[in-house]
Amino acid sequence: MGGTVTQLLNLQGMLFILIIAGMVAGKKKLVSAEGRRCLTNVVLYVILPCNIVNSFVMPFSIQLLLDFLTILLIAAGLQIFAVILSKFLFNRLDEDTKVIFQYATVCSNSSFMGYPIAESIYGAAGLSYTAIYLIPLRIVMWSAGISFFSKVRNWKAMVLKVALHPCMIAVYLGLPIFFFQIPLPHVISETLTTLGDCCTAMSMLIIGMLLMDVDWKTMFSVKLLLFSALRLIVLPALVWGFCLFAHMDPLVTGVSVILTGMPAGTTTALLAAQYHRDAELGSKVVVLTTLLSLFTITGWSLVLN
C-alpha cells in the first residue's frame, strides 16, 4: 500500500510541476493565445488520436469486452443523470449563470485532461477504457450541451461533428485492432507510441497556460466553490457508490470515478463567448475546477487504490 501511495503522489507531483511549467510559460508569454489554440488542436487532432489507437493494441478477452460495455453503460447513465440534474438544480440562478453551470455539469474536461491522467494511473488499459467512456460524453456535449446555450437546429451536422471527431475515428480504428488482433507494422507502432508519449506533458502545459488567464481576486466565490464541490466530489462519489454497490471491476470503477471527477470542460468558456453569455464566469468555472482538481484527483486516486 505504501508503495502505491508513493507512486500516486509522485504522479500527481509530476502533473503539478508540468502545470507550473505551463504557468511560467504563460506568464513569460512564450506562447501567444493563438499559439496555445494551435497547441490544443495538435493535442486533440494528432497526439490524442494516436494515443487512443495505440491503447487498443492488447490481447483480446471476453472479460475485457464486457468491461468495455460496462463502462459505456456507466458513462451513458451518468450523462443522462447529469442532464436531468442540470435541468432542475440551477433554476434559482440568473439565466447566464444557470446555462454555464448546466453545461459545466454535463460536460467535463475528460476528453482533454482525462486521457493523460487515466493513462498515468492505469496504463494503456485505462486509456482504452477512457476512449469508450467518452463516447456518451461527446454525444451529449454536442447535443444537450449546446442546447443549453442555443437550440440545436441542424441535427445532421451535430451527428457528423460527433461521428467524425478525430478521437472517435481513433476508436473506430482501435476496436478492429483489438477484436481481430491485427498486428501493426513496427514503424506504425513506434510512430503511435512516440506521438502518444507527448500527451501528458503537452496537456498539462496547456492547462498551466490557461490558469494564467484569470483574475484570482474574484475566483473564490461561494457559487463557484459549491459548483466545484458538485463537479469534483459529489458526482464522482455517486459513481463510486454505484460501482461499489454493483461490485464492479476495480479498473472499471477507478477509471469511471476519476473521469467523472474531471474539471469543467474548456468549451464552457468558449461557448459562453460564442453565444454572448458570461464568458468571464465560464473561464472562472474552468480555471477553478481545474485548479482544485489537482487536489481532488489525488484524493480520489488514493481512495480508489
Side-chain angles (χ1 to χ4, degrees):
M1 178 64 181
T4 301
V5 171
T6 301
Q7 184 180 2
L8 288 170
L9 291 177
N10 286 337
L11 167 63
Q12 292 302 111
M14 179 198 70
L15 297 177
F16 183 74
I17 291 170
L18 287 170
I19 289 174
I20 292 296
M23 293 176 69
V24 172
K27 182 71 173 178
K28 297 293 185 180
K29 301 192 183 302
L30 299 180
V31 181
S32 65
E34 179 61 30
R36 192 174 66 213
R37 282 192 290 272
C38 292
L39 288 176
T40 301
N41 287 337
V42 169
V43 172
L44 289 176
Y45 291 92
V46 180
I47 294 175
L48 266 180
C50 288
N51 219 9
I52 293 168
V53 173
N54 202 37
S55 72
F56 282 97
V57 181
M58 65 177 75
F60 175 84
S61 73
I62 295 299
Q63 183 57 53
L64 196 55
L65 178 59
L66 291 175
D67 286 346
F68 281 170
L69 293 174
T70 300
I71 204 166
L72 182 65
L73 290 174
I74 291 173
L78 173 68
Q79 291 304 130
I80 293 170
F81 174 78
V83 169
I84 295 172
L85 180 67
S86 66
K87 292 288 188 181
F88 299 100
L89 192 59
F90 308 112
N91 288 335
R92 293 187 178 183
L93 302 176
D94 64 87
E95 188 64 20
D96 274 358
T97 304
K98 175 184 173 181
V99 297
I100 287 170
F101 281 176
Q102 283 180 319
Y103 183 86
T105 299
V106 171
C107 302
S108 72
N109 205 14
S110 301
S111 60
F112 187 74
M113 192 172 176
Y115 276 115
I117 289 180
E119 182 185 25
S120 298
I121 298 173
Y122 297 108
L127 191 63
S128 57
Y129 281 36
T130 299
I132 300 299
Y133 178 95
L134 289 178
I135 292 173
L137 173 61
R138 294 190 194 285
I139 293 171
V140 170
M141 177 183 290
W142 299 112
S143 54
I146 293 291
S147 72
F148 292 133
F149 291 98
S150 177
K151 296 297 182 185
V152 178
R153 296 182 177 86
N154 191 340
W155 285 95
K156 182 179 179 181
M158 182 275 293
V159 170
L160 286 175
K161 190 178 185 72
V162 173
L164 297 179
H165 190 282
C167 291
M168 289 295 290
I169 294 173
V171 173
Y172 306 150
L173 294 173
L175 285 174
I177 291 172
F178 168 68
F179 282 127
F180 302 111
Q181 295 293 283
I182 300 171
L184 296 178
H186 182 72
V187 64
I188 299 297
S189 178
E190 285 297 304
T191 301
L192 294 175
T193 301
T194 301
L195 280 169
D197 285 345
C198 302
C199 184
T200 299
M202 289 289 290
S203 300
M204 295 303 111
L205 286 172
I206 293 169
I207 287 168
M209 295 174 198
L210 172 70
L211 292 176
M212 296 307 299
D213 287 348
V214 73
D215 181 6
W216 295 96
K217 296 177 182 177
T218 59
M219 179 66 65
F220 298 96
S221 69
V222 174
K223 287 180 183 177
L224 285 171
L225 288 171
L226 287 175
F227 176 79
S228 298
L230 170 68
R231 175 75 265 171
L232 303 174
I233 299 174
V234 176
L235 290 177
L238 291 174
V239 172
W240 184 45
F242 171 79
C243 289
L244 289 179
F245 177 77
H247 302 288
M248 294 293 182
D249 176 80
L251 181 56
V252 171
T253 299
V255 172
S256 298
V257 172
I258 290 295
L259 293 178
T260 304
M262 286 293 117
T266 52
T267 46
T268 306
L270 299 177
L271 290 172
Q274 181 179 347
Y275 289 99
H276 306 291
R277 300 290 187 171
D278 192 342
E280 183 180 356
L281 176 62
S283 297
K284 289 177 181 178
V285 168
V286 174
V287 172
L288 182 60
T289 54
T290 300
L291 178 65
L292 295 178
S293 72
L294 297 177
F295 304 98
T296 57
I297 291 170
T298 301
W300 280 118
S301 299
L302 294 173
V303 169
L304 291 163
N305 287 276

